[in-house]
């Protein structure tokens, strides 16, 4: 082998057991981001999706943090939905992305007179551009204006019913588990990289020792009440600690948010470990990237490569990042 080169000394290759075949298809696996807020990003950030192999995405039109008005009025929420829908054609065209929109009432801040919104969501759900009801689901503590658990359950259940009626998937956030999160690089303030005044957070309405699991349990009950099949519901912001519970006790999809580990603590290794242990069937990956927090869009592609390095088969990786979301979104 080495004799074609002028230097005829053995190399590492000749001491080793030979070259491993490189699965070059990893470089071209398309992926789908089922949960982001890319309509709130810059052109340059959206370009990163295309550059790193994203084929399709669902941009959540819901986001209390994107409207500065609190308590949130129904027209504030309508503005967010319509803004995402109206930007959609240019985003699709400019970035060559099969983007769609998620429509929903976020529970991160109380929304007044939310009945008015529930009345019109079915009209949005019927649009071709709308691929999901989201993001919805219980929130542990609201920003500026608190929302009782009973009302949050009501608004969530009724949106899950709309998802069931329209045969759409529902994307549900789950509370961040900040128990073990440390911010070693920040002395001042405990949430770096988030445009949110934490002093305005209200008292938690989920009060157990483990609010993330409490929220998951209630959300799953609401899904059953609403008659939405498990394979049409995604629980977002999964992590290594909650994933086994969800995989063993529910029939929902789990989605790992990989683009801001500084807050959620999810690494590509965590995703690989869960896929290795439980198989790829109900696992998804998402960026949840939004203009209000520090996030890394390339983390999605990095997760694909890292899963391979961690020993996950190429076929399983492809299922997690492409086939599963495709099936979910039909
Ligand atoms: Zn989100």
């Amino acid at each position: 082998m080495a004799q074609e080169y002028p230097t005829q000394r053995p190399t590492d290759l000749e001491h080793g057991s030979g070259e491993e075949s490189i699965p070059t298809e990893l470089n071209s696996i398309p992926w789908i981001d089922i949960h982001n807020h890319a309509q709130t990003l810059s052109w340059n950030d959206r370009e990163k999706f295309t550059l790193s192999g994203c084929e399709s995405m669902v941009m959540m039109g819901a986001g209390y943090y994107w409207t500065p008005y609190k308590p949130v009025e129904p027209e504030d929420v309508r503005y967010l939905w319509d803004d995402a829908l109206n930007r959609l054609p240019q985003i699709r065209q400019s970035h060559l992305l099969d983007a769609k929109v998620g429509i929903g009432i976020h529970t991160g801040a109380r929304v007044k007179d939310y009945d008015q919104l529930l009345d019109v969501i079915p009209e949005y759900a019927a649009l071709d551009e709308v691929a999901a009801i989201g993001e919805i689901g219980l929130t542990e503590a609201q920003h500026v204006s608190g929302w009782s658990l009973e009302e949050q359950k009501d608004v969530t259940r009724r949106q899950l019913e709309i998802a069931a009626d329209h045969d759409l998937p529902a994307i549900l956030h789950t509370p961040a588990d900040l128990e073990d999160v440390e911010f070693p690089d920040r002395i001042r303030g405990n949430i770096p990289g988030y445009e949110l005044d934490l002093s305005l957070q209200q008292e938690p309405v989920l009060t157990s020792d483990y609010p993330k699991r409490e929220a998951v349990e209630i959300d799953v009950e609401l899904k059953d009440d609403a008659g939405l099949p498990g394979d049409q519901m995604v629980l977002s912001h999964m992590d290594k600690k909650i994933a086994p519970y969800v995989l063993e006790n529910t029939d929902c999809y789990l989605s790992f948010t990989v683009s801001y580990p500084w807050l959620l603590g999810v690494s590509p290794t965590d995703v690989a470990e869960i896929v290795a242990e439980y198989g790829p069937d109900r696992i998804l990956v998402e960026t949840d990237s939004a203009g209000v927090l520090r996030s890394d869009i390339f983390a999605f592609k990095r997760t694909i490569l890292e899963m391979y390095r961690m020993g996950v088969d190429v076929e399983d990786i492809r299922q997690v990042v492409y086939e599963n979301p495709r099936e979910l979104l039909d």
Side-chain angles (χ1 to χ4, degrees):
M1 234 185 148
Q3 61 267 40
E4 290 179 23
Y5 300 100
T7 306
Q8 304 225 344
R9 299 276 300 131
T11 63
D12 291 1
L13 191 62
E14 284 152 85
H15 289 289
S17 52
E19 256 180 287
E20 248 187 72
S21 67
I22 308 289
T24 50
E25 63 264 43
L26 274 174
N27 297 336
S28 55
I29 289 181
W31 50 272
I32 298 172
D33 188 4
I34 49 99
H35 177 173
N36 69 35
H37 305 265
Q39 78 279 15
T40 66
L41 298 172
S42 68
W43 198 99
N44 287 358
D45 279 333
R46 283 192 285 266
E47 187 195 28
K48 290 177 188 165
F49 284 95
T50 317
L51 290 177
S52 54
C54 180
E55 180 182 288
S56 175
M57 59 167 63
V58 187
M59 309 187 300
M60 299 301 146
Y64 69 95
Y65 43 77
W66 208 250
T67 173
Y69 317 111
K70 311 284 175 353
V72 182
E73 301 268 359
E75 58 262 37
D76 300 329
V77 178
R78 287 287 290 269
Y79 173 80
L80 296 176
W81 297 344
D82 294 346
D83 183 62
L85 284 165
N86 290 329
R87 289 174 194 277
L88 185 66
Q90 279 69 44
I91 291 173
R92 292 171 63 95
Q93 194 171 45
S94 242
H95 300 285
L96 311 172
L97 279 166
D98 181 15
K100 294 265 167 96
V101 167
I103 293 295
I105 304 170
H106 199 295
T107 50
R110 184 168 63 92
V111 179
K112 286 166 67 181
D113 307 322
Y114 61 86
D115 274 319
Q116 292 177 24
L117 292 167
L118 290 166
D119 288 345
V120 294
I121 292 181
E123 290 168 35
Y124 285 86
L127 299 173
D128 283 345
E129 294 87 343
V130 171
I133 299 298
E135 64 184 274
I136 60 174
L138 303 185
T139 300
E140 182 182 354
Q142 278 67 43
H143 194 241
V144 180
S145 179
W147 211 349
S148 73
L149 186 55
E150 281 316 305
E151 279 201 338
Q152 285 195 62
K153 283 162 77 170
D154 181 56
V155 73
T156 301
R157 193 194 61 254
R158 289 165 67 189
Q159 291 182 95
L160 291 168
E161 285 167 2
I162 295 171
D165 287 349
H166 289 263
D167 199 21
L168 285 174
I171 315 287
L172 280 75
H173 53 218
T174 56
D177 186 0
L178 300 176
E179 192 92 320
D180 303 319
V181 178
E182 284 175 39
F183 305 109
D185 55 339
R186 299 291 162 118
I187 295 166
R188 209 168 266 159
N190 58 359
I191 296 282
Y194 206 144
E195 294 167 8
L196 193 71
D197 182 348
L198 276 190
S199 69
L200 300 177
Q201 284 295 93
Q202 303 299 294
E203 284 300 303
V205 293
L206 297 171
T207 51
S208 74
D209 295 346
Y210 192 13
K212 195 177 192 77
R213 197 170 106 180
E214 191 183 355
V216 165
E217 286 170 351
I218 300 171
D219 284 334
V220 169
E221 267 175 39
L222 297 173
K223 162 192 82 80
D224 293 338
D225 294 347
L228 185 72
D231 61 5
Q232 270 178 251
M233 181 150 122
V234 178
L235 292 162
S236 278
H237 314 322
M238 291 291 103
D239 59 34
K240 208 163 83 170
K241 186 171 151 196
I242 191 82
Y245 172 82
V246 176
L247 282 158
E248 288 163 19
N249 296 281
T250 81
D251 52 357
C252 303
Y253 278 102
L254 284 71
S255 194
F256 289 90
T257 310
V258 293
S259 65
Y260 48 98
W262 59 265
L263 180 63
L264 298 179
V266 174
S267 70
T269 310
D270 297 338
V271 185
E273 280 177 11
I274 294 292
V275 173
E277 190 171 343
Y278 290 92
D281 285 353
R282 286 153 54 198
I283 313 286
L284 302 164
V285 172
E286 68 195 10
T287 69
D288 192 27
S289 51
V292 286
L293 89 172
R294 178 150 56 90
S295 66
D296 175 14
I297 289 150
F298 288 145
F300 199 116
K301 181 70 188 194
R302 208 168 285 124
T303 301
I304 292 176
L305 302 175
E306 201 60 14
M307 279 199 278
Y308 178 74
R309 295 187 186 109
M310 289 292 299
V312 180
D313 292 340
V314 175
E315 275 319 298
D316 288 349
I317 297 172
R318 189 183 163 87
Q319 186 180 339
V320 167
V321 302
Y322 188 62
E323 305 295 348
N324 285 347
R326 217 157 73 129
E327 200 151 301
L328 173 78
L329 298 170
D330 204 14

